[in-house]
Amino acid sequence: MRNTYLWLLQLITGILIAVLLGVHMVLMHLDAILGFFGVDATKITSWESMIERSNQGIWAGLYIALLAVVLYHALNGLRNVILELTPSVRTERVVTRVIVAFGIVTFVFCSYVPIALLSA
Amino acid sequence: MDKNNLITFKVQRYDPEHDRIPHFQEFMVPSGKCLTVLEGLLYIKENLDSSLAFRASCRMAICGSCGILINNYPNLACHTQIEEFHSDTLTVKPLPNLPIIKDLVVDLIPFFNTHKSIKPYILRQDAEEMEKPTAEYAQPPRALETLLQFTHCIKCGICISACPTSASDRLFLGPQALSQCYRYCTDNRDEGEKERFPMVDTDHGVWHCHLAGACSEACPKGVDPALAIQLLKRRLVSRAVALGKKQQPSSTVPSPAETKPKLPFPGFTVK
Ligand code: SF4
Ligand code: FES
């Protein structure tokens, strides 16, 4: 059932991206929605406000979670596309390993930023 | 056939022993009412060029041998009327996504092997009953209805030739095998899910279907393989997350104690 679980995860990460990216978009780019709820958007995007949020574990967690789900969703999708064009089990193994390694390195490298900002 | 009403058959020819690449050859075929593409091909074979290779047998959309590409649309030659196209030229090619043996004949062996790989027969735990049956396994009409349309598959390979995933992924199991996997897994007499699921839950299995639906549109027998694939996906997910109730395989039913008397054999009408 390995492929069924991989596909289910693809579905779940898709929904999570919509939610987490939605939060990010509303907060950083969609001033009108924030204004509707009576929040001053200029304050939220200011440097002080950003540093204040970066010190909170919940925001760091949110961005690390967004990074993880985007990486899984994008790289699993890319792997599926490449596997469709590589009719050899050996090539498939290489493709899977390269993609998994790329995903892990990118995750470690990029999640360093919100973790470092926690103590900024 | 109406000798005055001629139609041009542009037929793709390819003999691997002599040709490097396929080429087209034109034949003028007398056309008439209710003439099928297969009859046109038979006319060419009998009157114009006996070396033309194509497959056919039943001439009534039952055997599945005469699948070809007619005016770039895959169909059974015996099931397609020439008149349908309202054109005086017909382009005839072998089915795509399958290796060509000669002219319009494609190699169906890999296709049949894929079909066999999903074990298209009833699998049961009660091996003794399977070996030496004492009675029939019960199947209520409602259980039959859930799979009936998928039993109409004649293994013609037309869905494979219409499928865009089969075109790009040579290892893709294809709509025919996947729909037959669902057909047997959903059969209330069957217990073979555990043996079949590993065959379809692969990198080139059920999850690679793009849901283009071309297979269902092309199938000449009205089977809906795209639907079967979606239902198979649902079945796999419900097993993976342990949701949905798993039916017990049906038990045997004793033969009826009384059977209707046989009808008398009719007398000979010709003495
Ligand atoms: S599903 Fe339809 S098109 Fe495909 S092999 Fe069966 S009869 Fe032919
Ligand atoms: S000849 Fe049998 S299906 Fe056409």
Side-chain angles (χ1 to χ4, degrees):
Chain A
M1 302 299 253
R2 179 172 155 263
N3 282 271
T4 304
Y5 289 120
L6 288 178
W7 183 82
L8 260 180
L9 261 181
Q10 184 79 355
L11 211 78
I12 294 166
T13 50
I15 297 167
L16 285 176
I17 288 172
V19 174
L20 296 175
L21 202 63
V23 171
H24 169 80
M25 292 298 283
V26 168
L27 201 69
M28 305 306 281
H29 307 289
L30 304 174
D31 307 6
I33 296 180
L34 284 179
F36 180 77
F37 289 106
V39 182
D40 184 359
T42 46
K43 259 191 179 172
I44 285 211
T45 48
S46 69
W47 170 255
E48 292 75 27
S49 166
M50 197 277 280
I51 288 295
E52 196 188 318
R53 277 201 307 279
S54 303
N55 287 327
Q56 295 168 14
I58 183 140
W59 286 106
L62 192 134
Y63 277 107
I64 291 173
L66 180 58
L67 175 68
V69 293
V70 165
L71 274 177
Y72 178 84
H73 196 82
L75 294 179
N76 187 46
L78 181 68
R79 177 179 167 271
N80 283 343
V81 174
I82 297 175
L83 288 200
E84 200 168 303
L85 307 168
T86 50
S88 122
V89 180
R90 227 183 116 232
T91 336
E92 280 174 21
R93 228 175 284 140
V94 175
V95 168
T96 305
R97 282 180 193 163
V98 168
I99 284 185
V100 168
F102 177 79
I104 292 172
V105 170
T106 314
F107 180 75
V108 171
F109 184 68
C110 296
S111 55
Y112 166 77
V113 179
I115 291 172
L117 279 174
L118 269 177
S119 51
Chain B
M1 284 193 197
D2 181 356
K3 295 266 180 206
N4 301 322
N5 195 3
L6 289 176
I7 186 143
T8 311
F9 266 60
K10 263 182 85 184
V11 183
Q12 182 174 310
R13 306 294 308 264
Y14 176 62
D15 182 351
E17 281 178 15
H18 301 111
D19 302 327
R20 225 164 35 84
I21 49 164
H23 61 277
F24 282 95
Q25 190 176 354
E26 291 192 1
F27 300 98
M28 301 305 284
V29 176
S31 162
K33 271 214 170 308
C34 305
L35 205 70
T36 63
V37 176
L38 178 60
E39 282 164 318
L41 291 173
L42 287 167
Y43 179 88
I44 297 172
K45 179 116 184 140
E46 284 163 8
N47 302 288
L48 306 175
D49 187 345
S50 60
S51 70
L52 177 66
F54 58 90
R55 258 197 214 109
S57 179
C58 70
R59 306 190 192 188
M60 52 193 285
I62 291 293
C63 69
S65 3
C66 67
I68 48 170
L69 202 68
I70 309 162
N71 277 4
N72 288 324
Y73 195 81
N75 212 334
L76 296 173
C78 70
H79 193 53
T80 312
Q81 303 277 325
I82 294 176
E83 274 182 330
E84 271 176 41
F85 294 94
H86 304 291
S87 157
D88 50 12
T89 308
L90 273 193
T91 309
V92 180
K93 292 193 247 175
L95 287 180
N97 304 342
L98 294 159
I100 304 174
I101 295 177
K102 193 184 171 206
D103 296 338
L104 304 175
V105 180
V106 288
D107 187 2
L108 290 171
I109 303 255
F111 166 67
F112 291 142
N113 285 342
T114 313
H115 173 65
K116 271 196 234 161
S117 74
I118 57 101
K119 307 195 177 181
Y121 37 83
I122 300 287
L123 292 166
R124 302 269 308 194
Q125 304 299 326
D126 46 0
E128 201 170 317
E129 179 63 31
M130 287 292 280
E131 284 302 314
K132 296 190 188 98
T134 56
E136 287 180 25
Y137 292 117
Q139 183 162 65
R142 275 188 63 186
L144 174 65
E145 270 165 30
T146 59
L147 57 96
L148 188 60
Q149 67 142 317
F150 306 116
T151 65
H152 294 155
C153 171
I154 55 171
K155 287 138 212 97
C156 59
I158 283 178
C159 51
I160 303 282
S161 65
C163 171
T165 314
S166 297
S168 58
D169 183 356
R170 294 274 147 206
L171 301 177
F172 181 51
L173 285 182
Q176 193 276 337
L178 291 171
S179 65
Q180 290 309 299
C181 176
Y182 176 74
R183 175 255 174 273
Y184 283 95
C185 288
T186 199
D187 195 311
N188 72 317
R189 301 163 298 176
D190 183 85
E191 289 179 280
E193 266 186 10
K194 275 206 185 106
E195 284 177 59
R196 288 192 200 99
F197 280 179
M199 304 306 303
V200 295
D201 186 56
T202 64
D203 281 332
H204 301 276
V206 65
W207 300 110
H208 263 246
C209 166
H210 295 186
L211 195 50
C215 52
S216 302
E217 203 177 303
C219 177
K221 299 300 285 184
V223 181
D224 190 349
L227 170 69
I229 295 173
Q230 299 318 302
L231 293 172
L232 182 60
K233 285 178 182 173
R234 185 167 79 180
R235 218 177 168 84
L236 276 157
V237 171
S238 66
R239 296 290 176 267
V241 298
L243 276 178
K245 64 175 187 308
K246 208 171 168 218
Q247 65 192 17
Q248 284 303 310
S250 66
S251 51
T252 53
V253 276
S255 320
E258 268 182 35
T259 50
K260 285 187 192 163
K262 280 185 184 160
L263 291 173
F265 192 77
F268 290 107
T269 51
V270 181
K271 299 274 185 237

